[in-house]
Amino acid sequence: MTPRILLIPAVALLLAACDIPGMGPDPRIAQREADAKAIGGACRHALRGIEDCYRMNEKSPKTAVFEGWKEMDQYMRDNKIEGQRPSFEVAEKEEIIENKKPADEAKEKTADAQARTGAKAATGSARL
């Protein structure tokens, strides 16, 4: 009967030191929160408000985004770092404008060509 009594604490000690798969936190959740903190820090460095950051990253957990934003804010204040405005917004607007111009010109050319061929067809039928 004494071996049974000693066996129970021995098994409990062995299981206490063991990492049982599936019992710990999901690594995907930890990665998502780390990404959200990085997003918050990047938003703060880009001089964006926290509300804009939330709006731009709706799928990220707001608590982690705010935590990253707040940490970056404190870091920037402590080290007297100035934020930087993002420059990609200007480039996107220019691309959109440039892409619209050739399309509009192509439409105008096809409309002119159709008008000319329609006018020729009309004058040709009048000659007959």
Side-chain angles (χ1 to χ4, degrees), residues 3-97:
R4 286 185 189 173
I5 294 174
L6 294 176
L7 185 62
I8 294 173
V11 171
L13 283 172
L14 288 173
L15 289 177
C18 173
D19 289 334
I20 300 173
M23 296 297 289
D26 189 10
R28 291 177 289 176
I29 294 172
Q31 182 64 41
R32 193 175 323 140
E33 288 182 8
D35 289 345
K37 283 180 73 173
I39 287 170
C43 283
R44 173 60 185 102
H45 190 263
L47 301 174
R48 288 196 176 103
I50 191 69
E51 296 84 14
D52 295 336
C53 196
Y54 289 153
R55 203 171 307 120
M56 291 173 59
N57 303 289
E58 294 176 353
K59 293 183 179 180
S60 299
K62 289 184 178 182
T63 55
V65 170
F66 177 68
E67 191 175 321
W69 193 92
K70 188 170 71 170
E71 286 177 9
M72 180 58 85
D73 183 58
Q74 188 62 44
Y75 177 79
M76 290 174 69
R77 289 175 192 263
D78 291 344
N79 296 309
K80 298 178 182 159
I81 297 174
E82 296 293 323
Q84 296 179 351
R85 289 267 176 218
S87 60
F88 70 90
E89 292 177 352
V90 176
E92 286 181 12
K93 289 179 184 176
E94 289 176 3
E95 288 178 20
I96 292 170
I97 292 170

